Amino acid sequence: MKSQPPEPGPDPAAPDTAAGGTGTRVTPPPLRALAGPVRGRLAIAVGLQAVAALAGVVPFIAVSRIAERLTGESPADGDALWPLVVLACSSGLVALVCGTAAGALAHIADNDLQLTLRRRLARHIGRLPLGRLTDRGTGEVKQAVQEDVSALHTLFAHTLLDVVAVLTAPVLALAYLLTVDWPLALVSVVPLLLGVFLFSRAMTGAAAQMAEFGAAVGRISVAAVEFASGIAVFKSFGRGHRAHERFVRATEGFAGFFSGWVRSTLVSSTAAILVVAPAVVLLLLSALGALFVTRDWMTGAELVPFLLLGPAVAAPMGVVGPRIQQIRAGQAAAVRITELLHAPTLPEPTDPAVPDGHHISMRGVSFTYDGRTDVLSGVDLDLAPGTVTALVGPSGSGKSTLASLLPRFHDVTAGTVTLGGVDLRDIPATELYRRVGFVLQDVRLLRASVADNIRLGRPDATDEEVERCARAARVHERITELPDGYATELGRTVTLSGGEAQRLSIARALLADAPVLVLDEATAYADPHSEALIQDALSALAAGRTLLVIAHRLSTVRSADRIVVLEDGRVTEQGGHDDLLAARGRYAALWEAQHTAGPFESDGTPHHRPATTGTGRAADDIREGSAR
Ligand code: ADP
C-alpha cells in the first residue's frame, strides 16, 4: 500500500510537545496548548492588568493618608499634601493607561488566536473524511469554529483580565490595611472567608445537579420538537391535547427539579452574596471601627482607609461564580477544538495514480466504525461501466456504508476498492471526485445563488450548460419562477422544497458529469408530481453512467442490471431480478412480501408512506435514461 497512515496530529502547530530528552511526549492541557502562539502577549497583558489593579488602589490609599494628615494632632497645611494628591492622580492615570493597554493587548492577541484557530480548523476540516462530516453533521464544525472559538475569546480577552484585577487589588488593599491596624484588617477578611464557606456549601453537589439540569433541559427540547412536529397529526385526529401532554410533563418536571434545587441552596447562596456585599462589609467595619475608635484602639483617621478599601477585600467573592463558569466553558471549548484538530484526516496518496477506465472492483472489503464490530465483512463486488447496481437488504445491513466507500466518505478497514485498476487511496482527491459523484437523500444546498449551487462541481460551466442540466433535471421551470431566476440566493428569502432541492442536486451531479455515481434514492417524495419529476431527473442522470443505487423503489430494483442483497454486512445474494426470483432465496422472499404492498422497502418493512403514482413509468427510465 502506497498511501500513508492517518496522521494523528496533522497540523504543524499541533499541541503535542516533546519532553526534553526523555523521548516521552507530554501533552499540555488543551487550553494552554491552544493559547501557545499568543502566550507571550497574554502574559504581558496580565502583567499590565496587575499593575493597573494595584495602581487603582493607590488613590484610595493616598486619600486615606490625606485624611489622616488633615485630622491628625498637628494637621498638615495644604502644600504638604500636594505630593499625595499628585500620587493619587498619577496612579489613577497609570491604572487607566495600563488597564486600557492590557485590554487592547489581550484583544489583539485573542484576535490573532481566533484567526489562527479558525484557519487551522478550516484547513483541517477540509482534509477530514467526508463521512466524519456527514455523520456528525455541521453541528460539530459550527460549534468549534463559531461558539467554541468565541468562548475562548471571552476567556482570554475578558475573564483572564477580570480575574487578575479581582485577585490583585484586594491583596494590596489588605496589605495596606494590615499596616494601619491589623486587628481590624483581620476583621475585614472575615466576610470573605464566610462568603467562601457559604458559597462552597451552596455549590455542594453542583456537578450532579448541573447534569440533571442539562438532562431536564434536554427533555424539554425533545418534547418541544415532538410537540411542534406532531401537533398537526394529533389535531387531525381530534386529539390536540395529547400533543402537548409530554411537553407539559417535561416542563413541570423541570420546574419541580429547579425549584427544589433553588430551595435547597437558597439560604446558603443568599447568605454568601449578602456577607460579601459592599454595604454589609461597610456596616460591619464602621460599627466595629466606631467601637475601636471610642475605645481609643485606633484614631478616626485610621478608620478612613477601612471604609474606603475594606469592601474591596471581599469583592472577589461577588464575581467569582460567573468567572468560574466562563473558565469551565473555555476549558470545555478548548477540549472540543483540540479533538477536532486531532481527528484523523484522509491520507493523501504519496504515489498518486490516475485510473484507467471506470471499472469498480471491491475485494475482501471490511469496514468498522468503532474498531470492534465489522459493519461490512469480506465484500466482493464488481460494477461494470455503464451498469446499474441496486443495493438492497434490511435496515442496518450496511448499504449506506458500502455505498459511502466509493466517494471515500470512509476508507476500508481491510480489503481494497479500485477504480480503473487503481486503489481509491492512491487517487488524488480532485481526480477521484471528477470520476465519482453522489446524490444523497439529505441534500445540502449552499447559501449561494441557484446557478452557483448547480456549478459546484464545475465552477467554469457556462450559463447555457447550467440551464441544460437544470432542464434535464426537471427543475428549470421552478427556477424561472424564483424572484431572480438563476441568480436567486438560496437560504435567505427563498427555500426550496425537498423535491426541488433534490432535483437541483441532480442538476449539479449532471453538470459535474462524473462517470460513476452513488445514489441514495429518496424514500419519500413530497407529492406524486414531484416524484415523477425526480424520476425523470434520475433517468437523465443514469444514462451511460455506472450507478450504485441504495434502492428503496421497486421500479429501480427490478430494472437494475444487478441486485446485491446485503445482510449483516455480507453479500448474501447477487444477480438479475429474474435469476434471484428463480433462486427463491432472500430476495425472492422480500419481493414476494413487498411487491404487492407498494414501494419496495429493502428492509422488508412497510413504507410509512402509501404507494404513490409515477413509479411504474420511471421503472425503465432509470435503466434506459430516456430523458437524455
Ligand atoms: P443501511 O444503509 O443498510 O441501513 P448502514 O450502512 O447505515 O445500513 O448501517 C450499518 C451499521 O452501521 C448499522 O449498525 C449502523 O448503526 C452502523 N452505522 C452507520 N453509520 C454509522 C456511524 N457513522 N457511526 C457508527 N456506526 C454507524
Side-chain angles (χ1 to χ4, degrees):
M1 189 55 48
K2 285 171 265 173
S3 54
Q4 292 170 324
E7 304 168 57
D11 200 280
D16 280 351
T17 54
T22 63
T24 325
R25 288 181 77 78
V26 174
T27 308
L31 203 53
R32 253 185 51 205
L34 290 183
V38 294
R39 209 154 43 205
R41 275 179 290 170
L42 285 179
I44 297 174
V46 163
L48 283 170
Q49 182 65 37
V51 172
L54 294 177
V57 177
V58 174
F60 292 98
I61 297 178
V63 170
S64 325
R65 304 290 298 188
I66 291 172
E68 202 178 321
R69 295 275 194 94
L70 288 175
T71 57
E73 287 189 358
S74 50
D77 65 16
D79 287 348
L81 299 176
W82 270 112
L84 284 172
V85 174
V86 171
L87 176 69
C89 293
S90 52
S91 50
L93 198 65
V94 168
L96 193 70
V97 171
C98 287
T100 311
L105 192 60
H107 270 84
I108 292 171
D110 171 69
N111 204 30
D112 286 354
L113 182 66
Q114 286 191 49
L115 183 65
T116 315
L117 275 183
R118 289 200 167 109
R119 278 192 181 147
R120 278 176 66 189
L121 282 165
R123 206 169 43 225
H124 192 72
I125 290 163
R127 295 162 59 197
L128 288 177
L130 280 172
R132 161 129 191 161
L133 299 175
T134 50
D135 292 348
R136 315 234 177 144
T138 45
E140 183 192 21
V141 172
K142 180 172 168 288
Q143 169 83 33
V145 175
Q146 201 50 44
E147 278 111 53
D148 289 343
V149 173
S150 297
L152 292 189
H153 162 80
T154 309
L155 186 63
F156 291 133
H158 299 278
T159 314
L160 183 65
L161 299 188
D162 285 357
V163 168
V164 170
V166 99
L167 293 181
T168 323
V171 172
L172 178 60
L174 182 62
Y176 177 69
L177 294 181
L178 282 169
T179 65
V180 179
D181 184 90
W182 69 264
L184 195 58
L186 290 184
V187 170
S188 71
V189 185
V190 172
L192 175 66
L193 298 179
L194 209 55
V196 170
F197 170 72
L198 290 167
F199 185 70
S200 41
R201 267 196 62 178
M203 294 309 283
T204 311
Q209 301 279 32
M210 278 309 285
E212 176 51 27
F213 180 86
V217 171
R219 282 194 290 274
I220 292 187
S221 322
V222 170
V225 171
E226 267 180 19
F227 171 49
S229 57
I231 187 158
V233 180
F234 279 116
K235 276 198 142 178
S236 64
F237 286 94
R239 306 186 65 188
H241 65 284
R242 277 290 310 278
H244 63 261
E245 256 171 31
R246 194 196 285 248
F247 178 65
V248 171
R249 269 205 310 277
T251 46
E252 282 171 356
F254 176 78
F257 154 75
F258 195 64
S259 53
W261 185 17
V262 170
R263 258 199 307 274
S264 70
T265 60
L266 192 64
V267 175
S268 39
S269 58
T270 312
I273 294 169
L274 271 182
V275 292
V276 298
V280 174
V281 179
L282 211 53
L283 199 66
L284 173 77
L285 290 176
S286 38
L288 273 177
L291 184 72
F292 278 34
V293 172
T294 52
R295 295 269 168 104
D296 274 343
W297 293 343
M298 68 191 298
T299 66
E302 281 170 343
L303 183 57
V304 175
F306 285 92
L307 302 184
L308 288 175
L309 293 170
V313 175
M317 257 305 302
V319 288
V320 80
R323 299 299 176 273
I324 288 178
Q325 273 307 102
Q326 286 166 357
I327 292 171
R328 285 202 182 131
Q331 280 170 331
V335 168
R336 282 190 295 267
I337 291 176
T338 307
E339 267 173 18
L340 190 58
L341 283 174
H342 280 78
T345 53
L346 259 197
E348 270 290 310
T350 45
D351 189 6
V354 175
D356 176 16
H358 302 122
H359 187 100
I360 288 175
S361 163
M362 297 186 170
R363 289 289 171 268
V365 165
S366 296
F367 181 78
T368 165
Y369 284 103
D370 57 10
R372 294 190 299 272
T373 328
D374 272 352
V375 171
L376 297 172
S377 12
V379 173
D380 293 328
L381 194 64
D382 279 287
L383 310 181
T387 59
V388 175
T389 304
L391 280 179
V392 301
S395 176
S397 57
K399 302 183 293 294
S400 308
T401 306
L402 183 65
S404 73
L405 297 180
L406 285 192
R408 261 192 106 187
F409 278 36
H410 306 281
D411 276 342
V412 293
T413 314
T416 54
V417 183
T418 59
L419 167 66
V422 179
D423 192 305
L424 293 189
R425 290 166 291 195
D426 293 330
I427 305 174
T430 44
E431 290 293 328
L432 178 68
Y433 292 117
R434 202 173 293 157
R435 288 169 170 79
V436 180
F438 46 92
V439 176
L440 304 178
Q441 284 197 38
D442 177 20
V443 176
R444 299 280 162 90
L445 296 180
L446 304 177
R447 271 176 87 105
S449 71
V450 172
D452 286 347
N453 263 288
I454 298 178
R455 272 201 189 96
L456 198 61
R458 254 184 64 202
D460 56 344
T462 63
D463 290 348
E464 289 71 33
E465 287 171 316
V466 169
E467 191 182 314
R468 182 176 57 75
C469 294
R471 279 182 191 279
R474 301 292 188 269
V475 69
H476 171 74
E477 299 291 318
R478 175 70 183 107
I479 295 172
T480 53
E481 288 165 10
L482 296 173
D484 294 318
Y486 280 84
T488 309
E489 290 281 312
L490 292 179
R492 289 184 207 279
T493 48
V494 175
T495 315
L496 297 179
S497 75
E500 289 160 1
Q502 192 141 42
R503 269 139 55 205
L504 202 71
S505 80
I506 293 172
R508 183 192 273 173
L510 272 173
L511 187 66
D513 205 21
V516 178
L517 203 76
V518 175
L519 172 67
D520 192 351
E521 265 193 331
T523 48
Y525 293 121
D527 57 71
H529 175 64
S530 194
E531 166 163 3
L533 289 175
I534 291 175
Q535 290 297 345
D536 283 349
L538 288 179
S539 309
L541 201 55
R545 285 176 225 280
T546 309
L547 212 63
L548 180 65
V549 190
I550 301 173
H552 302 285
R553 319 241 122 211
L554 192 141
S555 52
T556 315
V557 178
R558 185 183 210 152
S559 58
D561 294 288
R562 186 175 354 190
I563 297 156
V564 175
V565 182
L566 268 186
E567 283 178 280
D568 271 341
R570 293 176 187 280
V571 176
T572 48
E573 275 182 296
Q574 56 177 308
H577 172 75
D578 295 334
D579 296 341
L580 288 180
L581 274 192
R584 307 214 54 78
R586 175 77 170 139
Y587 177 77
L590 276 173
W591 180 263
E592 286 298 321
Q594 294 299 324
H595 85 284
T596 48
F600 186 89
E601 266 303 306
S602 56
D603 59 3
T605 52
H607 199 286
H608 67 280
R609 278 177 51 84
T612 49
T613 58
T615 47
R617 181 163 61 86
D620 289 14
D621 280 1
I622 282 208
R623 177 71 193 84
E624 288 153 18
S626 61
R628 264 202 150 187

